[in-house]
């Protein structure tokens, strides 16, 4: 069964200081494009004779599969993390303070990482590392850089398509806006799930 687009968890008309056209375009064209691209790649792989296929063809298709799959997953996390202004639950705030020194220091680092990617492309991810049982702010220059064994629980998309329609070249303003519309309930839920040692929660799949 082909991968399907996950319905928007947020109301695109109610994201403060982000326009509905921006959210909808991002969802339909960029996230939707990743899902469509992944399905086309899967079709190509299903028909591939691995015993006879050239190495460069195998490498290329598997690389593009990873890019499209991670783009799909990270976009789902990004949209799930958008909502109305809220605050992290006490347990999550305590975890951030433990792993970063304070909630404020985590926030300052996450913001600085987003602004450092402005004008370029990539993701800023708050990830849970089961190896060390800690939270980590992770830089990702594209869809393929992830913490080995880690699970992202909050994603900030810094590709220009995520903000240019509303903010133009003002990537820093977009980062500040994102920080004010994080749906912390989703982050709280994912952290609790993964700290309990369970598998990946939700997500689209074949």
């Amino acid at each position: 069964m082909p991968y399907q687009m996950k319905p928007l968890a947020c109301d695109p008309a109610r994201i403060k200081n982000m326009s509905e056209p921006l959210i909808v375009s991002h969802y339909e064209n960029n996230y939707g494009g990743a899902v469509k691209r992944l399905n086309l790649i899967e079709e190509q792989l299903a028909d591939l004779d691995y015993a006879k296929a050239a190495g460069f063809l195998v490498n290329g298709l598997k690389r593009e599969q990873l890019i499209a799959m991670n783009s799909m997953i990270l976009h789902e996390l990004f949209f799930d993390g958008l909502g109305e202004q809220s605050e992290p639950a006490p347990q999550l705030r305590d975890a951030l303070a433990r792993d970063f020194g304070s909630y404020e220091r985590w926030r300052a680092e996450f913001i600085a990482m987003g602004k450092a990617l402005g004008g370029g492309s990539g993701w800023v991810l708050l990830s849970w590392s089961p190896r060390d049982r800690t939270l980590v702010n992770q830089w990702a220059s594209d869809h393929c850089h992830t913490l080995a064994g880690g699970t992202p629980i909050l994603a900030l998309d810094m590709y220009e398509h995520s903000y240019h329609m509303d903010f133009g070249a003002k990537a820093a303003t977009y980062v500040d806006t994102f920080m004010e519309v994080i749906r912390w309930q989703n982050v709280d839920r994912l952290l609790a799930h993964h700290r309990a040692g369970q598998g990946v929660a939700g997500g689209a799949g074949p």
Side-chain angles (χ1 to χ4, degrees):
M1 180 178 175
Y3 287 91
Q4 302 292 323
M5 290 178 67
K6 183 178 180 180
L8 271 173
C10 64
D11 182 347
R14 299 188 62 181
I15 307 300
K16 186 177 180 182
N17 295 324
M18 290 188 188
S19 70
E20 183 174 2
L22 171 67
I23 300 297
V24 172
S25 175
H26 190 179
Y27 172 78
E28 293 181 349
N29 296 311
N30 302 105
Y31 166 56
V35 176
K36 292 175 184 176
R37 189 165 67 253
L38 177 58
N39 285 328
L40 291 173
I41 294 166
E42 294 282 344
E43 290 177 7
Q44 292 285 317
L45 289 170
D47 293 336
L48 193 65
D49 183 345
Y50 287 99
K52 298 178 180 178
F56 70 85
L57 182 59
V58 176
N59 279 343
L61 283 171
K62 295 301 289 186
R63 177 182 181 276
E64 292 302 316
Q65 180 192 38
L66 178 62
I67 291 172
M69 187 171 291
N70 276 5
S71 179
M72 177 183 71
I73 292 169
L74 292 178
H75 273 104
E76 289 173 355
L77 183 60
F78 171 79
F79 289 116
D80 284 352
L82 293 179
E84 298 180 9
Q85 187 171 11
S86 61
E87 293 291 333
Q91 186 177 23
L92 175 55
R93 186 181 281 267
D94 289 345
L96 291 168
R98 180 200 66 203
D99 295 336
F100 292 90
S102 68
Y103 167 73
E104 291 74 19
R105 183 166 179 80
W106 165 79
R107 181 183 171 89
E109 181 181 305
F110 195 90
I111 290 172
M113 290 171 67
K115 292 181 178 180
L117 277 170
S121 59
W123 297 84
V124 183
L125 307 173
L126 173 62
S127 296
W128 169 250
S129 171
R131 179 186 182 278
D132 300 316
R133 297 192 65 79
T134 59
L135 290 166
V136 178
N137 278 337
Q138 187 217 318
W139 168 92
S141 67
D142 59 26
H143 306 299
C144 291
H145 294 135
T146 57
L147 178 69
T151 302
I153 61 174
L154 177 67
L156 168 58
D157 189 346
M158 287 306 301
Y159 283 83
E160 286 193 347
H161 64 240
S162 65
Y163 61 86
H164 194 269
M165 186 183 296
D166 281 4
F167 300 92
K170 297 179 180 178
T173 304
Y174 159 71
V175 173
D176 291 335
T177 300
F178 173 84
M179 299 303 294
E180 298 304 318
V181 295
I182 294 173
R183 188 162 70 95
W184 282 106
Q185 181 182 6
N186 189 64
V187 187
D188 296 332
R189 176 184 65 82
L190 290 174
L191 177 62
H193 183 87
H194 294 296
R195 288 180 78 173
Q198 300 174 22
V200 176

